[in-house]
Amino acid sequence: HRVDRRQRQMCIRDRLQLEHLASSGQLYHHLRQLVTAGWLVSPRRGYYEVPAARVVPLLVLTMIASS
């Protein structure tokens, strides 16, 4: 079952409603850093996704960090 690209994209406005962040500015600051480093792409304003080539490395890093 293939996931539609629109379903994988995270709308930052929705994310802000889910998390208790000090400010949206902090979130956008970190998102810009992740885009610059190639861990995220922004296909349109306010939406971010993990590029396909970065999914497995991101999962590996997450597993290492949680152990």
Short mmCIF file of all heavy atoms in Angstrom, two decimals:
data_model
loop_
_atom_site.label_atom_id
_atom_site.label_comp_id
_atom_site.label_asym_id
_atom_site.label_seq_id
_atom_site.Cartn_x
_atom_site.Cartn_y
_atom_site.Cartn_z
N HIS A 1 0.85 -1.18 0.00
CA HIS A 1 0.00 0.00 0.00
C HIS A 1 0.89 1.24 0.00
O HIS A 1 1.68 1.44 0.89
CB HIS A 1 -0.91 -0.05 1.20
CG HIS A 1 -1.65 1.21 1.50
ND1 HIS A 1 -2.35 1.90 0.53
CD2 HIS A 1 -1.81 1.90 2.64
CE1 HIS A 1 -2.90 2.96 1.10
NE2 HIS A 1 -2.58 2.97 2.37
N ARG A 2 0.78 2.04 -1.02
CA ARG A 2 1.60 3.24 -1.16
C ARG A 2 0.88 4.43 -0.53
O ARG A 2 -0.30 4.63 -0.72
CB ARG A 2 1.83 3.52 -2.65
CG ARG A 2 2.92 4.52 -2.88
CD ARG A 2 3.53 4.25 -4.25
NE ARG A 2 4.85 4.78 -4.32
CZ ARG A 2 5.14 6.00 -4.74
NH1 ARG A 2 4.17 6.80 -5.12
NH2 ARG A 2 6.37 6.42 -4.79
N VAL A 3 1.63 5.20 0.24
CA VAL A 3 1.07 6.37 0.92
C VAL A 3 1.13 7.56 -0.01
O VAL A 3 2.17 7.85 -0.60
CB VAL A 3 1.84 6.68 2.22
CG1 VAL A 3 1.30 7.92 2.88
CG2 VAL A 3 1.79 5.49 3.16
N ASP A 4 0.02 8.23 -0.17
CA ASP A 4 -0.05 9.43 -0.99
C ASP A 4 0.85 10.51 -0.41
O ASP A 4 0.91 10.68 0.81
CB ASP A 4 -1.51 9.91 -1.04
CG ASP A 4 -1.70 11.11 -1.94
OD1 ASP A 4 -0.86 11.35 -2.82
OD2 ASP A 4 -2.71 11.81 -1.75
N ARG A 5 1.54 11.24 -1.25
CA ARG A 5 2.47 12.28 -0.80
C ARG A 5 1.77 13.29 0.09
O ARG A 5 2.33 13.74 1.08
CB ARG A 5 3.08 12.98 -2.01
CG ARG A 5 4.09 14.03 -1.62
CD ARG A 5 4.70 14.67 -2.84
NE ARG A 5 5.70 15.63 -2.41
CZ ARG A 5 6.55 16.19 -3.20
NH1 ARG A 5 6.54 15.91 -4.47
NH2 ARG A 5 7.42 17.05 -2.74
N ARG A 6 0.54 13.65 -0.22
CA ARG A 6 -0.19 14.61 0.62
C ARG A 6 -0.40 14.08 2.02
O ARG A 6 -0.45 14.84 2.97
CB ARG A 6 -1.52 14.98 -0.03
CG ARG A 6 -1.34 15.92 -1.22
CD ARG A 6 -2.64 16.15 -1.92
NE ARG A 6 -2.84 14.98 -2.79
CZ ARG A 6 -4.01 14.45 -3.08
NH1 ARG A 6 -5.10 14.94 -2.59
NH2 ARG A 6 -4.10 13.40 -3.86
N GLN A 7 -0.52 12.77 2.17
CA GLN A 7 -0.72 12.19 3.49
C GLN A 7 0.57 12.21 4.31
O GLN A 7 0.53 12.22 5.52
CB GLN A 7 -1.21 10.75 3.37
CG GLN A 7 -2.61 10.66 2.80
CD GLN A 7 -3.01 9.23 2.54
OE1 GLN A 7 -2.19 8.39 2.20
NE2 GLN A 7 -4.28 8.95 2.71
N ARG A 8 1.73 12.19 3.64
CA ARG A 8 3.01 12.20 4.34
C ARG A 8 3.42 13.59 4.79
O ARG A 8 4.24 13.73 5.68
CB ARG A 8 4.12 11.63 3.44
CG ARG A 8 4.00 10.17 3.19
CD ARG A 8 5.15 9.69 2.36
NE ARG A 8 5.13 10.35 1.06
CZ ARG A 8 6.20 10.59 0.31
NH1 ARG A 8 7.37 10.25 0.72
NH2 ARG A 8 6.08 11.16 -0.85
N GLN A 9 2.90 14.60 4.15
CA GLN A 9 3.29 15.96 4.47
C GLN A 9 2.70 16.39 5.79
O GLN A 9 1.57 16.08 6.12
CB GLN A 9 2.84 16.93 3.38
CG GLN A 9 3.54 16.72 2.08
CD GLN A 9 2.99 17.62 1.00
OE1 GLN A 9 1.99 18.29 1.18
NE2 GLN A 9 3.65 17.62 -0.14
N MET A 10 3.50 17.11 6.54
CA MET A 10 3.05 17.61 7.83
C MET A 10 2.81 19.10 7.71
O MET A 10 3.69 19.85 7.33
CB MET A 10 4.13 17.35 8.88
CG MET A 10 3.78 17.92 10.24
SD MET A 10 5.09 17.66 11.45
CE MET A 10 6.44 18.58 10.76
N CYS A 11 1.60 19.52 8.01
CA CYS A 11 1.31 20.94 8.03
C CYS A 11 1.76 21.49 9.37
O CYS A 11 1.37 21.01 10.43
CB CYS A 11 -0.19 21.19 7.84
SG CYS A 11 -0.60 22.94 7.92
N ILE A 12 2.62 22.47 9.35
CA ILE A 12 3.18 23.02 10.58
C ILE A 12 2.09 23.63 11.45
O ILE A 12 2.12 23.51 12.67
CB ILE A 12 4.28 24.05 10.25
CG1 ILE A 12 5.43 23.34 9.55
CG2 ILE A 12 4.76 24.74 11.49
CD1 ILE A 12 5.94 22.11 10.26
N ARG A 13 1.10 24.22 10.86
CA ARG A 13 0.00 24.80 11.63
C ARG A 13 -0.66 23.71 12.48
O ARG A 13 -0.94 23.91 13.65
CB ARG A 13 -1.00 25.44 10.68
CG ARG A 13 -2.19 26.07 11.38
CD ARG A 13 -3.17 26.65 10.38
NE ARG A 13 -3.52 25.63 9.38
CZ ARG A 13 -3.48 25.83 8.07
NH1 ARG A 13 -3.15 26.99 7.58
NH2 ARG A 13 -3.79 24.87 7.23
N ASP A 14 -0.86 22.52 11.90
CA ASP A 14 -1.45 21.41 12.64
C ASP A 14 -0.50 20.92 13.72
O ASP A 14 -0.92 20.57 14.82
CB ASP A 14 -1.79 20.25 11.70
CG ASP A 14 -2.86 20.62 10.69
OD1 ASP A 14 -3.62 21.58 10.95
OD2 ASP A 14 -2.91 19.97 9.64
N ARG A 15 0.77 20.88 13.42
CA ARG A 15 1.77 20.42 14.39
C ARG A 15 1.83 21.34 15.60
O ARG A 15 1.97 20.88 16.72
CB ARG A 15 3.13 20.33 13.70
CG ARG A 15 4.18 19.68 14.53
CD ARG A 15 3.90 18.20 14.62
NE ARG A 15 4.89 17.61 15.48
CZ ARG A 15 4.75 16.47 16.08
NH1 ARG A 15 3.65 15.78 15.90
NH2 ARG A 15 5.68 15.99 16.84
N LEU A 16 1.71 22.63 15.38
CA LEU A 16 1.74 23.57 16.49
C LEU A 16 0.58 23.34 17.44
O LEU A 16 0.69 23.57 18.64
CB LEU A 16 1.71 25.01 15.97
CG LEU A 16 3.02 25.53 15.41
CD1 LEU A 16 2.81 26.89 14.75
CD2 LEU A 16 4.08 25.62 16.48
N GLN A 17 -0.54 22.88 16.92
CA GLN A 17 -1.70 22.59 17.77
C GLN A 17 -1.47 21.33 18.60
O GLN A 17 -2.06 21.18 19.66
CB GLN A 17 -2.95 22.45 16.91
CG GLN A 17 -3.36 23.74 16.25
CD GLN A 17 -4.50 23.55 15.26
OE1 GLN A 17 -4.96 22.44 15.03
NE2 GLN A 17 -4.96 24.64 14.68
N LEU A 18 -0.61 20.42 18.13
CA LEU A 18 -0.37 19.18 18.84
C LEU A 18 0.71 19.30 19.92
O LEU A 18 0.69 18.59 20.90
CB LEU A 18 0.06 18.08 17.85
CG LEU A 18 -0.97 17.69 16.81
CD1 LEU A 18 -0.37 16.69 15.84
CD2 LEU A 18 -2.19 17.07 17.48
N GLU A 19 1.65 20.15 19.74
CA GLU A 19 2.78 20.27 20.65
C GLU A 19 2.70 21.55 21.46
O GLU A 19 2.14 22.55 21.03
CB GLU A 19 4.09 20.27 19.85
CG GLU A 19 4.33 19.01 19.07
CD GLU A 19 4.56 17.79 19.94
OE1 GLU A 19 5.10 17.94 21.05
OE2 GLU A 19 4.18 16.71 19.50
N HIS A 20 3.28 21.51 22.63
CA HIS A 20 3.36 22.69 23.48
C HIS A 20 4.74 23.30 23.30
O HIS A 20 5.69 22.92 23.99
CB HIS A 20 3.10 22.32 24.94
CG HIS A 20 1.75 21.70 25.14
ND1 HIS A 20 0.59 22.43 25.08
CD2 HIS A 20 1.39 20.41 25.36
CE1 HIS A 20 -0.43 21.62 25.29
NE2 HIS A 20 0.02 20.39 25.44
N LEU A 21 4.85 24.19 22.36
CA LEU A 21 6.12 24.84 22.06
C LEU A 21 6.11 26.25 22.63
O LEU A 21 5.05 26.87 22.77
CB LEU A 21 6.34 24.90 20.55
CG LEU A 21 6.43 23.55 19.85
CD1 LEU A 21 6.41 23.75 18.35
CD2 LEU A 21 7.68 22.81 20.27
N ALA A 22 7.30 26.73 22.95
CA ALA A 22 7.40 28.08 23.49
C ALA A 22 6.93 29.11 22.47
O ALA A 22 6.28 30.08 22.82
CB ALA A 22 8.83 28.38 23.93
N SER A 23 7.26 28.87 21.20
CA SER A 23 6.82 29.79 20.15
C SER A 23 6.92 29.13 18.79
O SER A 23 7.69 28.19 18.60
CB SER A 23 7.67 31.07 20.17
OG SER A 23 8.95 30.80 19.65
N SER A 24 6.15 29.63 17.85
CA SER A 24 6.24 29.10 16.49
C SER A 24 7.58 29.48 15.88
O SER A 24 8.10 28.78 15.02
CB SER A 24 5.09 29.60 15.64
OG SER A 24 5.12 31.01 15.54
N GLY A 25 8.16 30.58 16.33
CA GLY A 25 9.47 31.01 15.84
C GLY A 25 10.54 29.97 16.10
O GLY A 25 11.42 29.73 15.26
N GLN A 26 10.48 29.34 17.28
CA GLN A 26 11.45 28.28 17.60
C GLN A 26 11.32 27.12 16.64
O GLN A 26 12.30 26.57 16.15
CB GLN A 26 11.24 27.77 19.02
CG GLN A 26 11.75 28.68 20.09
CD GLN A 26 11.52 28.08 21.47
OE1 GLN A 26 10.56 27.35 21.67
NE2 GLN A 26 12.39 28.39 22.40
N LEU A 27 10.08 26.72 16.37
CA LEU A 27 9.84 25.61 15.47
C LEU A 27 10.37 25.92 14.07
O LEU A 27 11.09 25.12 13.48
CB LEU A 27 8.36 25.28 15.40
CG LEU A 27 7.97 24.15 14.45
CD1 LEU A 27 8.63 22.84 14.87
CD2 LEU A 27 6.47 24.00 14.40
N TYR A 28 10.05 27.09 13.54
CA TYR A 28 10.50 27.46 12.20
C TYR A 28 12.02 27.58 12.13
O TYR A 28 12.63 27.24 11.12
CB TYR A 28 9.83 28.74 11.72
CG TYR A 28 8.42 28.49 11.26
CD1 TYR A 28 7.33 28.87 12.04
CD2 TYR A 28 8.15 27.85 10.06
CE1 TYR A 28 6.03 28.62 11.62
CE2 TYR A 28 6.87 27.60 9.63
CZ TYR A 28 5.81 27.98 10.43
OH TYR A 28 4.53 27.72 10.01
N HIS A 29 12.65 28.04 13.19
CA HIS A 29 14.11 28.11 13.25
C HIS A 29 14.71 26.72 13.05
O HIS A 29 15.62 26.52 12.23
CB HIS A 29 14.56 28.71 14.58
CG HIS A 29 16.02 28.56 14.84
ND1 HIS A 29 16.96 29.34 14.21
CD2 HIS A 29 16.69 27.71 15.65
CE1 HIS A 29 18.17 28.97 14.63
NE2 HIS A 29 18.03 27.99 15.50
N HIS A 30 14.20 25.73 13.78
CA HIS A 30 14.72 24.37 13.68
C HIS A 30 14.36 23.72 12.34
O HIS A 30 15.16 22.98 11.78
CB HIS A 30 14.23 23.53 14.85
CG HIS A 30 14.79 23.97 16.16
ND1 HIS A 30 16.13 23.88 16.47
CD2 HIS A 30 14.20 24.54 17.23
CE1 HIS A 30 16.33 24.35 17.67
NE2 HIS A 30 15.18 24.78 18.16
N LEU A 31 13.18 24.02 11.83
CA LEU A 31 12.80 23.48 10.52
C LEU A 31 13.73 24.00 9.43
O LEU A 31 14.14 23.24 8.54
CB LEU A 31 11.35 23.82 10.20
CG LEU A 31 10.31 23.04 11.00
CD1 LEU A 31 8.93 23.64 10.76
CD2 LEU A 31 10.34 21.57 10.64
N ARG A 32 14.07 25.27 9.48
CA ARG A 32 14.99 25.83 8.48
C ARG A 32 16.35 25.13 8.55
O ARG A 32 16.96 24.85 7.52
CB ARG A 32 15.18 27.34 8.70
CG ARG A 32 14.07 28.17 8.09
CD ARG A 32 14.42 29.64 8.05
NE ARG A 32 14.77 30.18 9.36
CZ ARG A 32 13.93 30.71 10.23
NH1 ARG A 32 12.66 30.80 9.93
NH2 ARG A 32 14.34 31.17 11.39
N GLN A 33 16.81 24.84 9.76
CA GLN A 33 18.08 24.12 9.91
C GLN A 33 18.00 22.72 9.32
O GLN A 33 18.94 22.26 8.66
CB GLN A 33 18.49 24.05 11.38
CG GLN A 33 18.91 25.39 11.94
CD GLN A 33 19.32 25.28 13.39
OE1 GLN A 33 18.79 24.48 14.15
NE2 GLN A 33 20.29 26.09 13.77
N LEU A 34 16.89 22.03 9.53
CA LEU A 34 16.71 20.68 8.98
C LEU A 34 16.60 20.70 7.46
O LEU A 34 17.12 19.80 6.79
CB LEU A 34 15.48 20.01 9.60
CG LEU A 34 15.63 19.66 11.09
CD1 LEU A 34 14.28 19.28 11.67
CD2 LEU A 34 16.65 18.55 11.27
N VAL A 35 15.96 21.73 6.90
CA VAL A 35 15.88 21.87 5.44
C VAL A 35 17.28 22.13 4.88
O VAL A 35 17.69 21.49 3.90
CB VAL A 35 14.90 22.99 5.04
CG1 VAL A 35 15.03 23.32 3.56
CG2 VAL A 35 13.46 22.57 5.37
N THR A 36 18.01 23.01 5.51
CA THR A 36 19.37 23.34 5.05
C THR A 36 20.28 22.11 5.08
O THR A 36 21.09 21.91 4.18
CB THR A 36 19.98 24.46 5.92
OG1 THR A 36 19.15 25.61 5.81
CG2 THR A 36 21.39 24.82 5.48
N ALA A 37 20.10 21.26 6.09
CA ALA A 37 20.92 20.05 6.22
C ALA A 37 20.43 18.91 5.33
O ALA A 37 21.10 17.88 5.23
CB ALA A 37 20.93 19.60 7.68
N GLY A 38 19.28 19.07 4.69
CA GLY A 38 18.77 18.05 3.78
C GLY A 38 17.90 16.99 4.44
O GLY A 38 17.53 16.02 3.79
N TRP A 39 17.56 17.15 5.71
CA TRP A 39 16.71 16.18 6.41
C TRP A 39 15.24 16.39 6.14
O TRP A 39 14.43 15.49 6.34
CB TRP A 39 16.98 16.20 7.91
CG TRP A 39 18.31 15.60 8.23
CD1 TRP A 39 19.46 16.29 8.52
CD2 TRP A 39 18.65 14.22 8.27
NE1 TRP A 39 20.48 15.40 8.73
CE2 TRP A 39 20.00 14.12 8.58
CE3 TRP A 39 17.91 13.06 8.06
CZ2 TRP A 39 20.65 12.90 8.70
CZ3 TRP A 39 18.56 11.83 8.18
CH2 TRP A 39 19.91 11.76 8.50
N LEU A 40 14.86 17.56 5.69
CA LEU A 40 13.48 17.87 5.33
C LEU A 40 13.47 18.63 4.02
O LEU A 40 14.44 19.28 3.67
CB LEU A 40 12.80 18.74 6.40
CG LEU A 40 12.51 18.14 7.75
CD1 LEU A 40 11.92 19.21 8.67
CD2 LEU A 40 11.57 16.96 7.65
N VAL A 41 12.35 18.54 3.31
CA VAL A 41 12.10 19.39 2.14
C VAL A 41 10.76 20.06 2.36
O VAL A 41 9.91 19.56 3.09
CB VAL A 41 12.11 18.61 0.81
CG1 VAL A 41 13.48 18.07 0.50
CG2 VAL A 41 11.08 17.50 0.81
N SER A 42 10.59 21.20 1.73
CA SER A 42 9.34 21.94 1.85
C SER A 42 8.75 22.12 0.45
O SER A 42 9.10 23.05 -0.26
CB SER A 42 9.59 23.30 2.51
OG SER A 42 8.40 24.01 2.65
N PRO A 43 7.85 21.20 0.07
CA PRO A 43 7.28 21.27 -1.28
C PRO A 43 6.37 22.49 -1.49
O PRO A 43 6.17 22.92 -2.62
CB PRO A 43 6.49 19.98 -1.42
CG PRO A 43 6.20 19.56 -0.03
CD PRO A 43 7.31 20.08 0.82
N ARG A 44 5.85 23.02 -0.40
CA ARG A 44 5.06 24.25 -0.46
C ARG A 44 5.08 24.90 0.91
O ARG A 44 5.40 24.26 1.90
CB ARG A 44 3.63 23.97 -0.92
CG ARG A 44 2.87 23.02 -0.05
CD ARG A 44 1.52 22.69 -0.62
NE ARG A 44 0.93 21.64 0.20
CZ ARG A 44 -0.34 21.43 0.33
NH1 ARG A 44 -1.19 22.20 -0.32
NH2 ARG A 44 -0.80 20.47 1.07
N ARG A 45 4.75 26.14 0.94
CA ARG A 45 4.85 26.92 2.17
C ARG A 45 4.04 26.29 3.31
O ARG A 45 2.86 25.98 3.16
CB ARG A 45 4.34 28.34 1.90
CG ARG A 45 4.51 29.25 3.07
CD ARG A 45 3.95 30.62 2.75
NE ARG A 45 4.01 31.43 3.94
CZ ARG A 45 4.51 32.63 3.99
NH1 ARG A 45 5.00 33.17 2.90
NH2 ARG A 45 4.53 33.30 5.11
N GLY A 46 4.71 26.09 4.44
CA GLY A 46 4.06 25.57 5.62
C GLY A 46 3.98 24.05 5.71
O GLY A 46 3.48 23.52 6.68
N TYR A 47 4.48 23.34 4.69
CA TYR A 47 4.44 21.87 4.68
C TYR A 47 5.85 21.34 4.56
O TYR A 47 6.66 21.85 3.79
CB TYR A 47 3.60 21.35 3.52
CG TYR A 47 2.13 21.53 3.73
CD1 TYR A 47 1.52 22.76 3.48
CD2 TYR A 47 1.35 20.49 4.21
CE1 TYR A 47 0.16 22.93 3.69
CE2 TYR A 47 -0.01 20.66 4.42
CZ TYR A 47 -0.60 21.89 4.16
OH TYR A 47 -1.93 22.06 4.38
N TYR A 48 6.15 20.29 5.30
CA TYR A 48 7.48 19.69 5.29
C TYR A 48 7.34 18.19 5.20
O TYR A 48 6.36 17.61 5.67
CB TYR A 48 8.24 20.06 6.56
CG TYR A 48 8.52 21.53 6.65
CD1 TYR A 48 7.56 22.38 7.18
CD2 TYR A 48 9.69 22.07 6.17
CE1 TYR A 48 7.79 23.75 7.23
CE2 TYR A 48 9.92 23.43 6.23
CZ TYR A 48 8.97 24.26 6.75
OH TYR A 48 9.20 25.60 6.79
N GLU A 49 8.35 17.55 4.59
CA GLU A 49 8.38 16.10 4.53
C GLU A 49 9.82 15.62 4.52
O GLU A 49 10.73 16.37 4.17
CB GLU A 49 7.62 15.57 3.32
CG GLU A 49 8.19 16.00 1.99
CD GLU A 49 7.34 15.55 0.81
OE1 GLU A 49 6.11 15.50 0.95
OE2 GLU A 49 7.91 15.26 -0.24
N VAL A 50 9.99 14.38 4.92
CA VAL A 50 11.31 13.75 4.91
C VAL A 50 11.52 13.18 3.52
O VAL A 50 10.69 12.41 3.03
CB VAL A 50 11.39 12.62 5.96
CG1 VAL A 50 12.74 11.93 5.90
CG2 VAL A 50 11.10 13.16 7.36
N PRO A 51 12.63 13.56 2.85
CA PRO A 51 12.90 12.99 1.52
C PRO A 51 13.06 11.47 1.62
O PRO A 51 13.57 10.95 2.61
CB PRO A 51 14.22 13.65 1.10
CG PRO A 51 14.42 14.80 2.01
CD PRO A 51 13.67 14.50 3.26
N ALA A 52 12.65 10.77 0.59
CA ALA A 52 12.70 9.30 0.59
C ALA A 52 14.09 8.76 0.94
O ALA A 52 14.22 7.80 1.69
CB ALA A 52 12.24 8.77 -0.76
N ALA A 53 15.13 9.39 0.43
CA ALA A 53 16.50 8.92 0.68
C ALA A 53 16.93 9.11 2.14
O ALA A 53 17.92 8.52 2.57
CB ALA A 53 17.48 9.66 -0.24
N ARG A 54 16.20 9.91 2.89
CA ARG A 54 16.55 10.18 4.29
C ARG A 54 15.71 9.41 5.30
O ARG A 54 15.98 9.46 6.49
CB ARG A 54 16.41 11.68 4.58
CG ARG A 54 17.39 12.56 3.86
CD ARG A 54 18.77 12.38 4.41
NE ARG A 54 19.62 13.47 3.97
CZ ARG A 54 20.70 13.86 4.60
NH1 ARG A 54 21.08 13.25 5.69
NH2 ARG A 54 21.41 14.84 4.13
N VAL A 55 14.71 8.67 4.85
CA VAL A 55 13.81 7.98 5.78
C VAL A 55 14.56 6.93 6.61
O VAL A 55 14.51 6.93 7.84
CB VAL A 55 12.61 7.35 5.04
CG1 VAL A 55 11.81 6.45 5.97
CG2 VAL A 55 11.73 8.43 4.45
N VAL A 56 15.28 6.02 5.96
CA VAL A 56 15.99 4.96 6.68
C VAL A 56 17.06 5.54 7.59
O VAL A 56 17.12 5.17 8.78
CB VAL A 56 16.54 3.90 5.71
CG1 VAL A 56 17.44 2.91 6.44
CG2 VAL A 56 15.40 3.18 5.01
N PRO A 57 17.92 6.45 7.12
CA PRO A 57 18.90 7.03 8.05
C PRO A 57 18.26 7.72 9.25
O PRO A 57 18.76 7.62 10.38
CB PRO A 57 19.67 8.04 7.19
CG PRO A 57 19.52 7.55 5.80
CD PRO A 57 18.15 6.93 5.76
N LEU A 58 17.14 8.38 9.05
CA LEU A 58 16.44 9.03 10.15
C LEU A 58 15.91 8.01 11.15
O LEU A 58 16.02 8.19 12.37
CB LEU A 58 15.31 9.90 9.62
CG LEU A 58 14.53 10.69 10.66
CD1 LEU A 58 15.45 11.64 11.43
CD2 LEU A 58 13.42 11.48 10.01
N LEU A 59 15.36 6.92 10.65
CA LEU A 59 14.88 5.84 11.55
C LEU A 59 16.03 5.23 12.33
O LEU A 59 15.89 4.93 13.53
CB LEU A 59 14.14 4.78 10.74
CG LEU A 59 12.81 5.20 10.16
CD1 LEU A 59 12.25 4.10 9.25
CD2 LEU A 59 11.82 5.55 11.26
N VAL A 60 17.17 5.02 11.69
CA VAL A 60 18.34 4.47 12.38
C VAL A 60 18.81 5.42 13.48
O VAL A 60 19.05 4.99 14.62
CB VAL A 60 19.49 4.17 11.38
CG1 VAL A 60 20.79 3.83 12.11
CG2 VAL A 60 19.09 3.05 10.44
N LEU A 61 18.90 6.69 13.18
CA LEU A 61 19.30 7.67 14.19
C LEU A 61 18.31 7.72 15.35
O LEU A 61 18.70 7.84 16.51
CB LEU A 61 19.45 9.06 13.56
CG LEU A 61 20.64 9.24 12.64
CD1 LEU A 61 20.58 10.60 11.96
CD2 LEU A 61 21.93 9.08 13.42
N THR A 62 17.04 7.62 15.04
CA THR A 62 16.01 7.62 16.08
C THR A 62 16.15 6.40 16.98
O THR A 62 16.06 6.50 18.20
CB THR A 62 14.62 7.65 15.44
OG1 THR A 62 14.52 8.80 14.60
CG2 THR A 62 13.52 7.72 16.49
N MET A 63 16.41 5.24 16.39
CA MET A 63 16.60 4.02 17.18
C MET A 63 17.84 4.12 18.06
O MET A 63 17.81 3.73 19.23
CB MET A 63 16.71 2.80 16.26
CG MET A 63 15.39 2.43 15.62
SD MET A 63 15.51 1.05 14.45
CE MET A 63 16.42 -0.16 15.37
N ILE A 64 18.92 4.66 17.53
CA ILE A 64 20.14 4.83 18.31
C ILE A 64 19.91 5.78 19.47
O ILE A 64 20.32 5.52 20.60
CB ILE A 64 21.29 5.32 17.42
CG1 ILE A 64 21.71 4.21 16.44
CG2 ILE A 64 22.49 5.76 18.26
CD1 ILE A 64 22.64 4.68 15.35
N ALA A 65 19.23 6.87 19.21
CA ALA A 65 18.99 7.88 20.25
C ALA A 65 18.08 7.35 21.34
O ALA A 65 18.18 7.77 22.50
CB ALA A 65 18.39 9.13 19.63
N SER A 66 17.18 6.44 21.00
CA SER A 66 16.23 5.95 22.00
C SER A 66 16.79 4.78 22.82
O SER A 66 16.17 4.37 23.79
CB SER A 66 14.92 5.53 21.34
OG SER A 66 15.13 4.40 20.51
N SER A 67 17.93 4.26 22.42
CA SER A 67 18.49 3.11 23.17
C SER A 67 19.48 3.54 24.23
O SER A 67 19.80 4.62 24.45
CB SER A 67 19.14 2.12 22.23
OG SER A 67 20.16 2.71 21.47
#
